Amino acid sequence: MASEDVVGKSRGDTAVTTIVNLAEEAKLAREGVKGPGHQVLTICKSLVAGGVAGGVSRTAVAPLERLKILLQVQNPHSIKYNGTIQGLKYIWRTEGLRGLFKGNGTNCARIVPNSAVKFFSYEQASKGILWAYRQQTGDEDAQLSPLLRLGAGACAGIIAMSATYPMDMVRGRITVQTDKSPYQYRGMFHALGTVYREEGFRALYRGWLPSVIGVVPYVGLNFAVYESLKDWLLQTNPLGLANDNELHVVTRLGCGAVAGTIGQTVAYPLDVIRRRMQMVGWSHADSIVTGQSKEALQYNGMIDAFRKTVRHEGFGALYKGLVPNSVKVVPSIAIAFVTYEVVKDVLGVEMRISD
């Protein structure tokens, strides 16, 4: 009987606690103070906005993304893709419309969580760094400098990339294979399982190191340049580009384009090496990688990949695919930033990446 009283009292206390918490949140809402439930909802909305931004931007430039990877990894003794226009025409002629978007499903499956985590991590890292900076300087009105924004962007990029890297690895292989490949990955999950079974768990993170190193200038500069340029335009308002302390969508597109161009140019050689390392160990490598009579080079690590690439193909090989990537990255980054902020406005999220 006593135990039943204890259980009944425990349940009663739990119910009372729940009612009190709900009442407190309602009171806070009436007073304009946001309760814990609102914060969770805001975080979820921010994640959704980041995911939508990544999916929309990557789908818009999927043909250029596939061509870039094909140019990066194709064997120099068996050239099939020679330039942006010729490469796109060749894919259209040999594989049709589906060929232009091959690997885009896997890319979106990767980029949606990647972008969601990246944008959310950037916001949280920015707030944490800003708080620490204000505590250190004693200036409550201090704002993030370009260097601090670079650090926040780099942290966000490394976290997001590491969380989704296996999907990026198999996406590269799915993108490279053609209808004439000796072995076909049927999709992302089939590719993940096959690589794990045939090459081991470590193979899923092959090329991770150059990716981490490349994330620092690429993602870091993207955020730093975008936010700094946007703040400068808001403060100086050249040519009347700012209206009511807000920038027009076209102006924000321009900021994103500049940020993307600078970031991708600095980090591009590391992206080439990453893609080539991802192809190592692929026993059923497509003829794009192996060529007609030559075998694909084997790399023992990032430094070895750099050395062999420059020795066999020259320094210019580190920038293979740069043209389609430049054409791709400008609208991709710009669309991602603008879509992210527009979706957040639609969902009613108060916090912005410039806060």
Side-chain angles (χ1 to χ4, degrees), residues 246-267:
E246 285 289 337
L247 294 177
H248 192 269
V249 172
V250 176
T251 305
R252 281 185 278 166
L253 278 170
C255 294
V258 173
T261 300
I262 294 175
Q264 67 93 20
T265 301
V266 172

Side-chain angles (χ1 to χ4, degrees), residues 289-305:
V289 180
T290 60
Q292 296 177 347
S293 58
K294 301 284 185 178
E295 292 185 357
L297 289 173
Q298 298 295 309
Y299 306 116
N300 296 321
M302 182 181 69
I303 302 301
D304 184 53

Side-chain angles (χ1 to χ4, degrees), residues 1-8:
M1 190 69 177
S3 63
E4 292 179 357
D5 291 339
V6 172
V7 172

